[in-house]
Amino acid sequence: MVATSYLGMTHAARGEFSDAAILLERNAALEGDLRYERFGTASIQSALSGAYLADVLSQLGRFDEAIGHAEAAVQIAEAVDHPWMRHLGLSNLGRAHLRRGDLPRATRVLERDLDLCRTWQIVVGTPLVAATLGAAYALAGRADEALPLVAGAVEEFGSRQFQPAFILLCAGMTYLSTGRIHEAASHAREALALTRRLGARGSEAHALCLAGDVASTGGAEDAPGYYREALALAGELGMRPLAAHCHLGLGKLYRRTGKREQAQEHLRTATTLYSDMEMRFWLEQAEAEMGGPA
């Protein structure tokens, strides 16, 4: 059980989401008393696998399943009063809602998780949750609340001379959404270099898409190249939500540069993907781009 859990998490870290899902689903499916068994570790294995499975499934665009597994992990942790496992469940539940674009639910869950981390002094979890919540605030237009959370998370891990790619991605997205292009570009470059060094291909795809967003906003010529690299990786790894974001980015870029036919092609693909995965927040953006002035 323990080996299955760690192997599944390793596949997830490498971006091998389909392989990770197969392994993690085995542990998450435990029933009866085994659902609460630690198997000689500090973690409840069914909840641990369920929490990470939620993250994997949300990367694949299987949001309803992801949310169900994360909620189950939280319930298991609450039943035995295990704060660390409750944090993992809430964290991945918040990420699933955030990836889908359900910002009200994402912020409620992540605010609850951040309070939990601060109360129980979960040192590693606190900046990760803060960065995620900051990204949710930024998408919701709450820049004044987003920036301090993200800056604090970057500073916290910077003091340890290590910066997780996820925090760099959250920071880059937050700074981009608030018009701070230089800082967004710096975080995107750092995230891309780190993910390539680690072989974290899923995170690399996110970093490439972020680099495309930054380059597109700044008018750089290499924006299409970043998006196409991200699309290739997303297609290989099954990352449908990210593929939709890349098509939206290319659609916006081509509309601004007067390439209307190419823009409409990418925007149609984005709207289809967003609609299929019920990503309404993003679907509205794609539809607005299609219906806007040339």
Side-chain angles (χ1 to χ4, degrees):
M1 300 305 301
V2 177
T4 297
S5 183
Y6 287 137
L7 184 57
M9 288 188 284
T10 302
H11 278 300
R14 288 166 54 88
E16 297 158 353
F17 299 118
S18 295
D19 291 335
I22 291 170
L23 290 161
L24 295 171
E25 281 171 347
R26 297 178 189 173
N27 286 7
L30 288 171
E31 298 180 350
D33 291 342
L34 289 178
R35 285 169 62 83
Y36 306 97
E37 180 60 54
R38 303 188 187 199
F39 295 96
T41 72
S43 301
I44 304 167
Q45 289 302 310
S46 66
L48 179 67
S49 292
Y52 279 93
L53 177 58
D55 188 59
V56 165
L57 294 176
S58 71
Q59 295 273 22
L60 297 173
R62 294 162 59 180
F63 291 110
D64 289 339
E65 295 172 79
I67 290 165
H69 282 293
E71 288 177 339
V74 173
Q75 290 168 3
I76 291 168
E78 288 179 338
V80 295
D81 195 20
H82 196 306
W84 169 250
M85 298 309 308
R86 189 157 70 247
H87 151 62
L88 286 181
L90 288 170
S91 176
N92 287 292
L93 178 59
R95 288 193 198 189
H97 285 308
L98 178 59
R99 287 201 178 106
R100 194 174 216 172
D102 191 339
L103 303 182
R105 284 193 174 93
T107 52
R108 283 197 298 271
V109 170
L110 293 167
E111 285 168 349
R112 178 182 167 194
D113 190 18
L114 187 57
D115 287 342
L116 174 73
C117 287
R118 288 170 172 168
T119 298
W120 286 91
Q121 299 182 21
I122 302 176
V123 177
V124 174
T126 301
L128 287 166
V129 178
T132 316
L133 181 57
Y137 283 157
L139 285 176
R142 298 164 62 177
D144 290 346
E145 296 167 273
L147 290 171
L149 285 172
V150 168
V154 171
E155 183 180 358
E156 170 66 23
F157 271 101
S159 67
R160 305 176 195 179
Q161 298 183 330
F162 172 71
Q163 200 67 259
F166 183 75
I167 284 186
L168 293 170
L169 292 169
C170 287
M173 187 278 288
T174 300
Y175 285 122
L176 179 63
S177 68
T178 55
R180 295 167 63 165
I181 306 300
H182 178 75
E183 287 143 299
S186 175
H187 287 304
R189 286 193 300 270
E190 192 175 349
L192 189 54
L194 176 61
T195 55
R196 285 175 168 169
R197 187 166 68 249
L198 296 176
R201 302 178 74 222
S203 295
E204 180 186 351
H206 282 289
L208 284 164
C209 185
L210 174 60
D213 289 340
V214 172
S216 177
T217 303
E221 295 181 358
D222 53 355
Y226 283 125
Y227 283 132
R228 294 192 186 283
E229 279 191 78
L231 264 176
L233 260 182
E236 181 183 344
L237 301 176
M239 303 170 70
R240 295 175 71 225
L242 184 65
H245 291 331
C246 292
H247 283 295
L248 177 59
L250 282 166
K252 288 180 176 180
L253 175 64
Y254 287 140
R255 286 194 92 252
R256 286 199 301 271
T257 55
K259 300 177 180 179
R260 185 170 180 80
E261 186 174 339
Q262 290 172 277
Q264 290 298 101
E265 179 183 349
H266 284 289
L267 291 170
R268 278 194 296 269
T269 302
T271 55
T272 299
L273 287 169
Y274 288 141
S275 179
D276 288 347
M277 292 179 283
E278 298 183 6
M279 299 174 68
R280 295 183 183 88
F281 173 82
W282 300 104
L283 176 60
E284 290 174 3
Q285 294 192 30
E287 289 175 338
E289 283 291 328
M290 288 187 71

